[in-house]
């Protein structure tokens, strides 16, 4: 059994491709519903954020498993397969585990050290448990992932002074205008990213902000906190006449602003420059808006220069975090290797228990005068003998499970005890015995 991770992120795919996948995944049923139709995929976990789409799965047939997962992505996005393949990465076993640990620890994020990714992975795990697509291996791996991320955040300073995408967006606005005092800002969306951006705009001297959101109550609450104005969502196009910067972060599945909507309003603005910073995924603003005179549109990929600076500042902490991740990856891999001997251990226990039960029935049938207390004592005695007798062979097999020669010892044990060769499903195994 192998673990694979197939996906694309901000390093391998442009925003046009990522938003297509994120949009489709948001509009349709969960991709996890495709799991029963995948013959080669056993356990499955799906993660989708504004910067990545990834499938983590287990399989005994890697090539077929990758093919099935790729087909799911192609069907979801409706793009030519060769285009999707061009942006995909595939990690196997150790590399898959290491990648997941890096993602959860925010080392693979656009903004290194940002804390949101761990919450997003936990939410994706809750969805996987809801659809029952995770079993022994991925359950163990994801819980280990949570503990590794916590350890990285506790033992390093990776999260200290970490910037967010919202912070990077405000920094970009600063680079454009030099200073932000006196600028009027529209926050299109009132979620967490808008809230963070509002705080950063205020910190950089912006005192004139307007909040627009489909849910007016949320807009009013955010505006109250930052002494801003609110405008009904239906009127936001007209409100563009007197703002300088628009920061977009709504959860809309389709663009909410097109060039045809903006063009007449730019004439009314007498072509005063208007800057859009679109950090939503999918994007809120149609890219053709950028073709209009005096309109400047920046999307999340344009923040890369600012977050690269963030990476260099955290490079030392990232190296410390990577050491933790490498150590934890090896430990998980050792646990994974022990799964190869577990079916034999289970078969050994099962055979011993069958013999114990058979012999116990024969013996008790010859002793009709025994009371319940005596029968129970004999039962406990036989259980104890079996457990102690099997202890050393089981420990021996577990120690050999990390060796290349483990298959030889497994075969030897099966022949020695004449075990049933029928494999026990890993998902039903209890491998906690010492």
């Amino acid at each position: 059994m192998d673990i694979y991770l197939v996906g694309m992120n901000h390093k391998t795919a442009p925003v046009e491709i990522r938003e297509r996948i994120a949009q489709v995944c948001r509009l349709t049923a969960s991709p996890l519903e495709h799991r029963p139709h995948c013959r080669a995929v056993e356990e499955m976990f799906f993660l989708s954020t504004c910067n990545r789409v990834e499938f983590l799965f287990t399989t005994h047939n890697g090539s077929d498993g990758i093919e099935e997962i790729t087909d799911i992505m192609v069907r979801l996005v409706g793009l030519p397969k060769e285009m999707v393949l061009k942006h995909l990465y595939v990690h196997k076993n150790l590399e898959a585990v290491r990648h997941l640990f890096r993602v959860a620890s925010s080392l693979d994020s656009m903004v290194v050290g940002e804390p949101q990714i761990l919450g997003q992975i936990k939410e994706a795990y809750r969805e996987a448990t809801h659809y029952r697509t995770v079993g022994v291996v991925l359950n163990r791996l994801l819980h280990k992932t949570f503990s590794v991320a916590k350890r990285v955040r506790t033992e390093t300073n990776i999260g200290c002074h970490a910037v967010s995408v919202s912070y990077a967006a405000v920094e970009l606005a600063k680079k454009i205008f030099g200073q932000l005092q006196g600028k009027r800002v529209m926050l299109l969306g009132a979620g967490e990213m808008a809230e963070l951006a509002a705080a950063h705009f205020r910190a950089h001297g912006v005192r004139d902000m307007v909040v627009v959101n489909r849910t007016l109550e949320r807009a009013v609450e955010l505006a109250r906190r930052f002494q801003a104005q609110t405008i009904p969502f239906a009127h936001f196009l007209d409100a563009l006449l007197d703002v300088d910067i628009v920061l977009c972060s709504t959860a809309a599945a389709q663009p909410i602003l097109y060039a045809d909507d903006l063009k007449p309003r730019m004439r009314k603005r007498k072509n005063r420059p208007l800057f859009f910073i679109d950090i939503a995924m999918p994007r809120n603003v149609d890219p053709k808006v950028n073709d209009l005179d005096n309109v400047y549109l920046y999307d999340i990929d344009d923040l890369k220069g600012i977050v690269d600076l963030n990476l260099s500042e955290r490079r030392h902490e990232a190296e410390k975090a990577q050491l933790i991740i490498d150590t934890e990856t090896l430990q998980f891999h050792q646990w994974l290797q022990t799964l190869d001997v577990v079916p034999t251990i289970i078969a050994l226990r099962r055979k011993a228990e069958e013999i114990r039960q058979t012999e116990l029935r024969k013996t008790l049938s010859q002793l009709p005068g025994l009371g319940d207390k005596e029968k129970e004592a004999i039962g406990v005695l036989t259980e104890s003998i079996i457990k102690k007798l099997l202890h050393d062979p089981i420990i021996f097999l577990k120690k050999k499970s990390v060796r290349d020669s483990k298959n030889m010892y497994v075969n030897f044990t099966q022949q020695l005890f004449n075990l049933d060769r029928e494999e026990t499903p890993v998902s039903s195994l209890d491998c906690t015995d010492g």
Side-chain angles (χ1 to χ4, degrees), residues 140 190 206 212 263 350 352:
R140 175 97 174 202
V206 173
V212 181
K263 193 172 181 178
R350 182 185 296 146

Side-chain angles (χ1 to χ4, degrees), residues 66 70 84 114 116 161 196 321 422:
I66 294 171
T70 305
V84 174
E114 57 92 2
Q116 288 87 3
H161 311 296
L196 288 170
E422 183 179 349

